[in-house]
């Protein structure tokens, strides 16, 4: 029953966001340019496995759509279900299937990119793709 309630809440969020962005013509263009989409490379334990992820359009403050390629399951089983990128005010980033419950959590790494700290293993790095 809790899963159904969560799915309804996510559907309502998407519906309101779609209405907001498609309804105003001009409304949202400034917000859309503030957080641009980006391509990233997700790597496990120093190049053991890697895959591509794409941060999409921001749908709410700190919450963006996320595209994870199917081969990412080799990097971290279950991560292929992730649909959302959430960036907190402290710079941490989470990937989740529902926008709330994290599958993986990243902290800002030394230099560019992020390093995972939950789950503890495998250690993952996330960096902007140079493609």
């Amino acid at each position: 029953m809790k899963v159904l309630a969560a799915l309804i809440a996510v559907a309502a969020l998407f519906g309101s966001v779609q209405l907001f962005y498609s309804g105003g013509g001009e409304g949202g263009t400034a917000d859309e340019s503030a957080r641009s989409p980006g391509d990233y490379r997700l790597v496990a334990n120093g190049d053991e496995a890697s895959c591509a992820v794409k941060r999409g359009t921001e749908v709410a403050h700190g919450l963006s759509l996320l595209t994870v390629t199917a081969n990412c399951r080799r990097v971290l089983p279950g991560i292929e279900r992730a649909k959302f990128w959430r960036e907190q005010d402290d710079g941490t980033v989470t990937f989740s299937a529902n926008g709330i419950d994290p599958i993986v959590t990243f902290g800002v790494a030394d230099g560019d990119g992020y390093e995972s700290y939950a789950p503890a293993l495998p250690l993952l790095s996330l960096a902007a793709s140079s493609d």
Side-chain angles (χ1 to χ4, degrees):
M1 202 59 151
K2 291 181 181 180
V3 172
L4 180 60
L7 288 174
I8 291 171
V10 169
L13 172 69
F14 275 120
S16 62
V17 168
Q18 291 293 353
L19 184 63
F20 175 75
Y21 280 115
S22 63
E26 296 174 11
T29 54
D31 290 339
E32 289 172 21
S33 63
R35 299 255 184 201
S36 61
D39 294 322
Y40 291 83
R41 195 97 197 125
L42 183 63
V43 180
N45 292 336
D47 292 335
E48 281 184 20
S50 68
C51 65
V53 298
K54 181 173 182 73
R55 180 181 183 178
T57 306
E58 186 172 22
V59 295
H61 178 70
L63 184 67
S64 300
L65 298 177
L66 177 68
T67 303
V68 177
T69 58
N71 67 335
C72 283
R73 78 180 123 243
R74 292 181 319 178
V75 175
L76 178 66
I79 199 167
E80 70 276 6
R81 298 178 322 207
K83 303 291 181 223
F84 297 96
W85 168 304
R86 180 176 296 278
E87 187 166 350
Q88 303 293 333
D89 291 337
D90 65 358
T92 58
V93 170
T94 60
F95 290 0
S96 67
N98 61 7
I100 301 167
D101 302 313
I103 295 170
V104 62
T105 304
F106 298 92
V108 177
D110 293 337
D112 293 333
Y114 303 90
E115 289 182 349
S116 67
Y117 62 86
L121 293 174
L123 179 62
L124 304 174
S125 64
L126 180 67
S129 180
S130 59
D131 296 347

